[in-house]
Amino acid sequence: MTARKPAGADVTGEIADEVSGEQPNDPNFMTSLARGLAVIRAFTEREPNLTIADIARITGLPRAAARRCLLTLMQLGYAGTDGRTFFLRPKILALGYSFLSSAPLASILDPLIERVSGAVQESCSAAVLDEDEVVYIARAATKRIMSVGLNVGSRLPAYCTSMGRVLLAALPEGELEAYLRRAALKPFTERTITAPDALRRELERVRERGFALVDQELELGLRSIAVPVRTAAGAVVAAMNVSAQAARVTCPEMEVQFLPHLTRAAEEARVLLVRTRGV
């Protein structure tokens, strides 16, 4: 059985739901801004070129509204067109850079994951939880090991990724229960945990062990192990992981070879976070 496309690569339903959830009764809510952001999010690695009809379908916007958003983005230099389809221009990176450059967490974790990656000769990443997905804030890749390329800013479902499980396990009980009620636990492989009760038990195990190990649940042939990144007060603010091809390393070997490096890096991050304001 082949792995299915990660949820972060298909955001059609999610974006349409967000746009349809506009709040016309809130005088502080800017519908035009919400629509513009929805149009930006419609572009993905799999669909970098989209027509107006594509944008309207993905976002749920009327074609006229989608067209106005695209033309506005073009005038501002964030989008371009070949005459039929539209695409994002490099200037769009400035939006993500504004967050990364102002976030001490990313700057602290970046050299740590580089060091871990160099030590274990595997890809290492850091991510935070954003609603029901993990968002990569730092990454050191030795080679491409997934069918979908991952970079800073990439999003993946939380429930079937090692960093996602570490972050979900740290949620307060009420927030976790709300997540389990609303999350669509889709199978990416035959190994993916899709039952809420089974996922709850696995998250309890993650809390007890202090790390998460996911074996080919997101994509066949991919294993990953993750640990939480905590502040001095013990709050989990991020996760760090190492990913590797299943053919090269077993689950027990991951615990022996990779976990100590991740644990040391997370402890060092905790010390550094004490010295950083705003974290």
Side-chain angles (χ1 to χ4, degrees):
M1 179 177 179
T2 57
R4 302 185 185 183
K5 182 168 57 177
D10 183 4
V11 295
T12 302
E14 179 185 343
I15 293 176
D17 289 344
E18 287 185 4
V19 175
S20 65
E22 293 170 357
Q23 306 169 42
N25 295 324
D26 185 350
N28 297 312
F29 187 84
M30 292 183 63
T31 300
S32 58
L33 177 58
R35 289 179 171 182
L37 293 173
V39 168
I40 291 173
R41 291 187 60 200
F43 294 92
T44 67
E45 180 186 25
R46 291 177 180 271
E47 296 184 292
N49 292 73
L50 297 170
T51 64
I52 292 176
D54 292 331
I55 294 290
R57 170 181 54 82
I58 293 170
T59 63
L61 291 172
R63 286 174 61 109
R67 178 177 177 274
R68 288 196 301 272
C69 287
L70 286 165
L71 293 179
T72 299
L73 289 170
M74 281 184 60
Q75 290 186 33
L76 295 174
Y78 292 111
T81 183
D82 59 12
R84 189 183 76 85
T85 65
F86 293 82
F87 51 86
L88 296 180
R89 298 183 64 85
K91 187 178 179 181
I92 204 75
L93 295 172
L95 301 179
Y97 181 75
S98 296
F99 164 73
L100 291 175
S101 61
S102 63
L105 189 57
S107 61
I108 287 173
L109 296 182
D110 191 61
L112 296 178
I113 67 165
E114 288 281 356
R115 190 176 69 202
V116 172
S117 178
V120 302
Q121 291 298 296
E122 299 287 356
S123 297
C124 183
S125 308
V128 295
L129 188 65
D130 182 25
E131 296 182 348
D132 297 349
E133 296 179 312
V134 294
V135 180
Y136 282 65
I137 61 171
R139 180 163 171 80
T142 57
K143 56 187 73 68
R144 182 160 170 166
I145 58 175
M146 284 188 66
S147 60
V148 176
L150 294 176
N151 300 290
V152 172
S154 294
R155 306 173 73 93
L156 289 175
Y159 67 93
C160 58
T161 56
S162 60
M163 289 192 290
R165 287 191 181 164
V166 163
L167 295 167
L168 289 174
L171 289 177
E173 193 61 31
E175 291 183 27
L176 177 57
E177 289 304 315
Y179 168 82
L180 292 172
R181 286 194 298 270
R182 71 173 180 269
L185 308 181
K186 302 175 183 178
F188 290 105
T189 76
E190 68 268 19
R191 295 172 176 263
T192 310
I193 294 176
T194 57
D197 287 343
L199 180 58
R200 184 186 291 106
R201 289 193 296 271
E202 179 60 25
L203 294 177
E204 290 173 354
R205 187 165 177 257
V206 169
R207 283 194 212 100
E208 293 172 358
R209 303 175 78 191
F211 68 92
L213 200 162
V214 172
D215 184 11
Q216 305 180 77
E217 293 190 44
L218 178 67
E219 184 169 302
L220 290 177
L222 177 71
R223 291 181 174 132
S224 65
I225 187 169
V227 299
V229 175
R230 301 177 183 273
T231 64
V236 175
V237 292
M240 302 172 63
N241 86 338
V242 170
S243 300
Q245 292 180 349
R248 288 204 308 270
V249 60
T250 66
C251 289
E253 287 172 343
M254 293 189 78
E255 292 186 37
V256 173
Q257 297 176 20
F258 304 156
L259 186 57
H261 291 280
L262 284 170
T263 301
R264 284 194 295 271
E267 280 300 313
E268 186 171 344
R270 183 171 186 163
V271 173
L272 293 172
L273 288 172
V274 175
R275 306 170 188 168
T276 307
R277 295 179 58 187
V279 178

